[in-house]
Amino acid sequence: MFGYDTGVLASILEFDKWKSYFHHPGSIGVGVIVSALTAGCFVGSLIAGRIADKYSRKRTIMIACVVFSLGAAIQCGSINRAMLIVGRFISGLGVGVLSMTVPMFQSELAPPAIRGRLVSFQQWAITWGIVVSYWVDYGLHFVQSDVAWRVPIGIQIVPAAVLFVAMFFMPYSPRWLVNHGLVDEAHVVLAKLRAMGDLNAPDVVTELEEIKESVQVDGVTAVRSYTELFHVPIRRRVLIGIAVHALSQLSGINVTLYFAPTIFKQSGLTGKNASLLAQGLSGVVNCLFTIPAILWIDRWGRRKTLMFGSLGCGIAYFVQAVATGATQHKTFDENGDLYLNLPTGPSYVVIVMIYVFIASFAMSWGPVSWVYPSEIFPMHIRSKANSITTAANWLFNFGISLVSPILIKHITWGLDLIFAIIMFVSIGIVYLFFPETKNRSLEDMEIIFGGSVWAHRDKKRIAEYDASGMLGQVEKQNT
């Protein structure tokens, strides 16, 4: 749902039938239409925390599916820009709730040793949605009627319906059950998830006791307002969670996803078919290069994955900025569309670097930006904290998607240089401040984040806890 809705409008923005139906919106109009979704996502992610705590993660996901479908139906039937914008905002409410709740739901169900891998599947599902939307758009752009854009938008309802039905067969989060006094039900869920239904399995009994103890402690220190999230000692984790999502968006990934056909056309792929085809291939690259992260994120660790990803993204952007800035010759057509008129060689370099950037992001920030915030918070603030961090994701997404059409048109390669600098700076931020969380239980995070804010200096303390047996039990069980 999230991925399909992200990608579907990117190609439609270039459809002649869509442009004429909505009276050829300019760069500001396009920015408002695109960012309406992310504005809804911002609001949805903020309200998701309280809903998920009260009605459960499972029911919250089902509610979000209904809201999303309503928005998709309004978009599909739009007769003017206002209706389209309202529909995208309503769909955004659903996506915002899902983007906060689903990773948290996955992390609370998953065993620590493969938690990163399982939560990474969300990002892979997002990339599949993007791929499908790109190729659906490509197949329908030949149709010379409103069907060309109404059908791709309407298809969004299908995955929402599938997820809604599938959730009937999903368990409730055992941590949510214990938090609501349903310990026996939580015991059964853990047994099914960890030991094929064996209630007496040692791992099941141990994990249940850890959850019960954690919930008891959390009950004493429960956060009653969002402002308490910014008090010591939890403030550090909240700021790191916000930073992960903010840097993920400041990588510029959604500039590429939302406006790929425009970027490819500017870079020298003349002809609508060529730019849409290149966009379809970028979706395939995004999907394929998410697989290594799924397979090895729990071996590589979160820190190394993010730092190497930032290095790849930064290099790709820098090369792209140099190639464009040194050779571009700006011209505008009768519709005001910009062409950079790059020579053949630099044009190919820019296109290749776009793919290198997408691959680097897909292997790193794409999955880790969902994994890391979902695992670092204690139970008593997990919903509220994740709603804040996810809202930060959508706030930055909103701002970038709103101004990107204007920046792409006016500063061209300067935007690439800005993103390159951000990516290089992010390497230092991750190294200095982000602790490693691979193979740690959710209850272990109190110790992981209990030391110095300088993560690179805290390794000795963590190693001492590992050696004493107070931490790292997961790794010992796996060896």
Side-chain angles (χ1 to χ4, degrees), residues 162-185:
V162 171
L163 179 59
F164 179 84
V165 173
M167 289 308 298
F168 283 104
F169 304 96
M170 296 291 180
Y172 289 92
S173 162
R175 288 168 173 81
W176 181 85
L177 289 170
V178 171
N179 200 41
H180 284 73
L182 304 172
V183 178
D184 292 339
E185 289 87 339

Side-chain angles (χ1 to χ4, degrees), residues 178-460:
V178 171
N179 200 41
H180 284 73
L182 304 172
V183 178
D184 292 339
E185 289 87 339
H187 194 178
V188 172
V189 170
L190 280 174
K192 290 180 179 179
L193 291 172
R194 306 285 190 265
M196 303 293 290
D198 183 2
L199 294 173
N200 298 315
D203 289 348
V204 172
V205 175
T206 299
E207 185 171 357
L208 181 63
E209 290 304 314
E210 289 178 351
I211 294 172
K212 287 164 62 179
E213 181 180 350
S214 176
V215 168
Q216 287 177 351
V217 172
D218 292 345
V220 178
T221 59
V223 170
R224 293 172 177 80
S225 71
Y226 281 91
T227 57
E228 293 182 46
L229 295 174
F230 294 93
H231 295 168
V232 177
I234 207 64
R235 178 173 59 196
R236 177 192 176 194
R237 280 187 253 188
V238 174
L239 293 177
I240 288 176
I242 290 173
V244 171
H245 279 303
L247 290 170
S248 174
Q249 291 303 317
L250 290 172
S251 72
I253 183 61
N254 281 314
V255 176
T256 301
L257 296 181
Y258 291 145
F259 307 106
T262 301
I263 295 171
F264 282 122
K265 186 170 66 175
Q266 285 183 1
S267 301
L269 286 180
T270 56
K272 188 183 301 181
N273 290 349
S275 62
L276 293 180
L277 182 61
Q279 181 195 30
L281 292 176
S282 72
V284 174
V285 170
N286 192 14
C287 187
L288 290 178
F289 279 86
T290 303
I291 296 174
I294 295 173
L295 296 177
W296 297 305
I297 189 174
D298 289 310
R299 183 183 305 173
W300 294 344
R302 285 43 162 167
R303 282 165 55 86
K304 289 181 181 178
T305 302
L306 289 177
M307 287 189 286
F308 279 109
S310 291
L311 181 63
C313 292
I315 291 173
Y317 271 129
F318 183 76
V319 173
Q320 188 175 335
V322 171
T324 303
T327 62
Q328 70 178 11
H329 176 63
K330 295 182 181 180
T331 58
F332 295 87
D333 64 14
E334 64 276 6
N335 295 320
D337 293 333
L338 171 67
Y339 291 87
L340 300 180
N341 299 298
L342 302 179
T344 302
S347 175
Y348 287 150
V349 169
V350 169
I351 293 168
V352 170
M353 286 302 104
I354 291 173
Y355 290 136
V356 171
F357 160 70
I358 292 172
S360 299
F361 180 88
M363 289 191 293
S364 56
W365 287 93
V368 178
S369 63
W370 297 111
V371 173
Y372 201 77
S374 72
E375 64 187 1
I376 64 176
F377 297 112
M379 180 69 196
H380 69 288
I381 66 163
R382 189 169 297 141
S383 291
K384 291 185 177 68
N386 272 297
S387 71
I388 290 292
T389 59
T390 307
N393 174 81
W394 292 115
L395 181 62
F396 278 88
N397 193 333
F398 170 77
I400 290 171
S401 60
L402 184 63
V403 303
S404 288
I406 302 170
L407 296 179
I408 290 171
K409 188 172 183 178
H410 289 90
I411 69 172
T412 58
W413 64 272
L415 186 58
D416 297 325
L417 188 59
I418 291 171
F419 287 141
I421 293 171
I422 292 172
M423 286 291 92
F424 289 137
V425 170
S426 72
I427 297 174
I429 293 174
V430 172
Y431 178 76
L432 293 174
F433 301 112
F434 287 29
E436 183 55 67
T437 59
K438 71 171 183 176
N439 291 338
R440 306 299 191 183
S441 74
L442 297 181
E443 287 67 38
D444 282 342
M445 297 303 165
E446 293 301 313
I447 296 174
I448 296 294
F449 285 90
S452 171
V453 296
W454 300 99
H456 68 296
R457 296 180 180 176
D458 207 31
K459 295 179 181 179
K460 182 179 179 180

